[in-house]
Amino acid sequence: MSPTTVYLIAAAVGYLIGSISFARLVFARLRPGQAPDLIRTPTMDGQAELVSHAIGATNVMIAFGPRWGMLVTILDALKAFLPTLALLLMFPDAHYHLVCAAFVLAGHLWPVWYRFSGGGGNSSILGLMLAISPLGLLVTHAGGMLIGRFFPMFAFLGGVALTIPWFAVRDGLLSPEVAFALVITAFYVIAELPEARQMKDLKKQGHELDIRHVMSMMKKSAATGKPEGKD
């Protein structure tokens, strides 16, 4: 089997695995026949809202509580971690695992089974980084958290983008790992464009997002162990 064939198989398998939406499976199990709840962030004046069409662990946590949300987080991380690690161990001198990991993320963001409307990608990135560079995962996510202290809306994006300098220092500027980091960062940014356009339009209209709203719902769900709005 030629290396090109293996790369194509790694890409296809990664994409199909990534396309499995555990969040949607949980909604289908607990609320059969009903569409998953979307995350809606209101503006400070309450006159408009930003609607995220991503369906992932956060949606599940808000709807059904922290246990279900954590389950989806773990499963989304594992679907990236396991195939990436398997290829890394099987072919340590090749880069099949990088291709597989990138396409797992692509499948998660744009799943073929759900009309290419997927999740946010944070849990999957955690899983693939854990397989490729555990220390890098800690460094980049710590950096993302630091960025989030000053610019909350860019915390997750910052953590993803920091994989580029991390791999540049670890493996070299022209390494396949840096190319991989550029690809996953581009995927993440492209997936965020619909929400970014909404934010731009809301700002033009004079609205300011209440960015603490979703966090407060998550904290309430975690503290009570119950879905938002349930007593």
Side-chain angles (χ1 to χ4, degrees):
M1 187 179 298
S2 69
T4 300
T5 301
V6 179
Y7 278 119
L8 291 174
I9 292 174
V13 171
Y15 178 78
L16 292 175
I17 292 174
S19 290
I20 301 171
S21 174
F22 292 108
R24 282 187 168 85
L25 292 175
V26 168
F27 272 102
R29 172 67 177 81
L30 300 181
R31 290 184 184 173
Q34 298 184 31
D37 297 339
L38 299 179
I39 297 177
R40 301 175 181 273
T41 304
T43 55
M44 297 295 288
D45 57 14
Q47 299 301 308
E49 61 183 8
L50 183 149
V51 181
S52 173
H53 292 85
I55 304 295
T58 302
N59 307 69
V60 172
M61 180 176 179
I62 293 173
F64 304 116
R67 292 183 179 179
W68 286 103
M70 183 57 66
L71 174 64
V72 172
T73 296
I74 292 171
L75 292 174
D76 281 344
L78 284 175
K79 76 179 181 183
F81 174 77
L82 292 176
T84 302
L85 181 63
L87 285 175
L88 178 59
L89 294 176
M90 292 170 61
F91 305 98
D93 298 324
H95 298 97
Y96 304 132
H97 64 289
L98 297 179
V99 172
C100 179
F103 276 86
V104 168
L105 179 60
H108 181 83
L109 296 172
W110 303 291
V112 65
W113 319 120
Y114 303 102
R115 299 181 180 179
F116 305 103
S117 177
N122 297 307
S123 299
S124 294
I125 291 173
L126 184 153
L128 61 87
M129 280 297 294
L130 181 62
I132 298 168
S133 177
L135 180 58
L137 171 64
L138 294 176
V139 172
T140 56
H141 275 63
M145 291 173 64
L146 181 60
I147 292 172
R149 290 180 62 88
F150 301 97
F151 307 100
M153 295 298 293
F154 297 99
F156 292 124
L157 175 58
V160 179
L162 285 174
T163 61
I164 300 171
W166 167 259
F167 285 119
V169 171
R170 195 193 77 161
D171 301 290
L173 187 60
L174 300 180
S175 65
E177 286 79 7
V178 170
F180 162 77
L182 288 168
V183 168
I184 65 170
T185 301
F187 283 172
Y188 194 89
V189 170
I190 292 170
E192 292 291 320
L193 286 179
E195 281 74 18
R197 293 192 187 100
Q198 287 188 63
M199 290 178 62
K200 182 179 179 181
D201 290 341
L202 289 171
K203 188 174 182 180
K204 282 185 177 180
Q205 297 167 14
H207 299 296
E208 180 182 354
L209 283 179
D210 183 3
I211 60 177
R212 298 168 298 177
H213 177 73
V214 173
M215 291 302 299
S216 67
M217 289 194 298
M218 293 176 64
K219 289 179 180 178
K220 181 177 179 181
S221 178
T224 62
K226 299 177 180 179
E228 173 67 11
K230 300 293 185 181
D231 298 324

